[in-house]
Amino acid sequence: MGIIGLGAIGVTHARALRALPGVNLVAFSGGSPRLAAESGWPGAVRLDPDAVIAHPEVAAVAVCTPTQWHAPLAIAAAEAGRHVLVEKPMATSVADAERLAALQAERGVVIAMVAQRRFEAEFAYVRTLLDDGRLGRVRLATTHVHWHRDDDYYAAAGWRSSMAAGGGSLMNQGVHNVDLLRWLCGPVADVTAQYGTLGHEMDAEDTTVATLRFASGALGMISTSTATPPGSPATLTLHTSRGVVELGQGEVIRWDVPGVPPPPADDSVISGASDPAAIGIAGHVAMWREVLAAIAGGRRSAADATDAVGTVRLLCGIYEAARTGRQVRLEDLS
């Protein structure tokens, strides 16, 4: 394995890999040898990103850099024949996301976007119930990510305050719940949106709201913010033809579906509502386990590049709708 970008999230990946058998982290970029050693990999060597990709013992890489470098580095790794797990979002443009989907097929490699929340017990259970029809048809789906990030958070890394670099509350903090909503409810046909920078002095938005029409005909709403102190756990609510399901982070907030029992709460999930460093490694362990199984089995990941294009398209569509003040059909984005 190789890690490109041994920063905060890179260390999470390093620690997650340490929890899996048969894995060896041989090279990383960024960070320091001390960080690698503290994460359980004292023998890993620090190299430039290109050298990590080219390392003869590296079969797969985790791309954990600032968001604007996700797609370029993932493309370079795939073109070199490496399997790739890319931190969220996979890309900041639909074109780059589609290029990665194409490379997955052309080079025969596994390319996946980190979507660890799909593996949380509550959401996996809800997806199974939706697939089986036991929850009925989704009519209204909403997700709210009302977090808080202080000025020190943005000052610590310049890309976080840049719209072009993917630092906005939707693309940086809200992406996992956006991905969950799309994964559970199916593709989105069109969106409207507004955004603003309400709690910080910076280029990127810190608050976004959007309305969605799913291909199924269901309607949806998304709101994200880093300007809502002290920060609240993210929520996702499904109003279906059979009842209501509302999930938080590791908890079932409401379960009102006659004849269908709720899932058990998952106490391994920790909210990053007010502190991004509070998020644990359980989700990343599950994500890596799935990716490694895909590599071993010669199959695509459950959160592969083709699937991730849908999440990138939705994020970009919301930003385009907010920028132009118009309803955007997602199929028109390229």
Side-chain angles (χ1 to χ4, degrees):
M1 297 292 177
I3 292 177
I4 304 176
L6 192 67
I9 198 64
V11 166
T12 297
H13 279 266
R15 293 171 58 210
L17 289 171
R18 193 67 195 172
L20 297 168
V23 169
N24 184 29
L25 180 67
V26 297
F28 65 94
S29 70
S32 68
R34 177 185 59 80
L35 271 179
E38 290 175 353
S39 302
W41 302 104
V45 296
R46 186 177 186 274
L47 303 170
D48 291 335
D50 290 345
V52 173
I53 292 170
H55 195 291
E57 295 179 30
V58 168
V61 299
V63 177
C64 306
T65 60
T67 299
Q68 73 266 37
W69 295 106
H70 286 180
L73 288 165
I75 289 170
E79 288 178 338
R82 306 300 189 246
H83 304 291
V84 190
L85 179 57
V86 194
E87 262 298 338
K88 50 77 180 173
M90 186 173 72
T92 59
S93 73
V94 175
D96 280 346
E98 289 179 332
R99 175 61 180 149
L100 282 164
L103 279 169
Q104 178 177 251
E106 292 170 10
R107 302 303 172 101
V109 294
V110 171
I111 303 176
M113 182 184 78
V114 173
Q116 80 271 18
R117 299 209 62 202
R118 297 186 186 187
F119 299 97
E120 293 172 15
E122 298 92 355
F123 290 106
Y125 179 68
V126 168
R127 173 61 190 260
T128 297
L129 294 178
L130 286 169
D131 289 345
D132 292 347
R134 296 175 64 193
L135 291 183
R137 291 177 59 84
V138 175
R139 293 174 175 171
L140 176 65
T142 66
T143 189
H144 305 297
V145 184
H146 300 165
W147 288 0
H148 180 242
R149 297 291 184 264
D150 60 20
D151 292 338
D152 289 344
Y153 168 84
Y154 288 103
W159 70 271
R160 293 172 177 168
S161 60
S162 167
M163 197 72 155
S169 72
L170 177 73
M171 189 165 278
N172 192 15
Q173 283 79 27
V175 55
H176 281 307
N177 273 57
V178 171
D179 178 73
L180 280 173
L181 198 70
R182 187 190 64 81
W183 180 62
L184 291 171
C185 302
V188 176
D190 52 69
V191 298
T192 63
Q194 297 186 68
Y195 59 50
T197 307
L198 308 179
H200 307 89
E201 292 185 6
M202 62 183 188
D203 168 65
E205 54 81 17
D206 64 17
T207 305
T208 289
V209 295
T211 66
L212 292 65
R213 183 182 300 276
F214 293 91
S216 67
L219 299 181
M221 294 181 289
I222 293 170
S223 63
T224 68
S225 184
T226 60
T228 47
S232 305
T235 63
L236 188 150
T237 306
L238 303 179
H239 296 265
T240 77
S241 56
R242 297 212 56 219
V244 183
V245 170
E246 183 176 2
L247 303 177
Q249 293 180 262
E251 65 173 331
V252 177
I253 299 171
R254 182 181 180 188
W255 191 277
D256 192 358
V257 186
V260 181
D266 185 353
D267 59 10
S268 69
V269 180
I270 303 171
S271 171
S274 59
D275 178 9
I279 299 171
I281 69 168
H284 285 77
V285 171
M287 184 79 227
W288 267 113
R289 187 176 288 118
E290 199 283 328
V291 168
L292 292 173
I295 293 171
R299 62 169 175 81
R300 290 186 176 186
S301 165
D304 79 327
T306 300
D307 179 78
V309 169
T311 296
V312 173
R313 188 180 296 275
L314 177 52
L315 294 167
C316 292
I318 291 171
Y319 277 138
E320 179 67 8
R323 185 184 68 82
T324 63
R326 298 197 299 266
Q327 180 175 327
V328 170
R329 288 199 316 166
L330 296 193
E331 67 178 20
D332 294 338
L333 293 178
S334 60

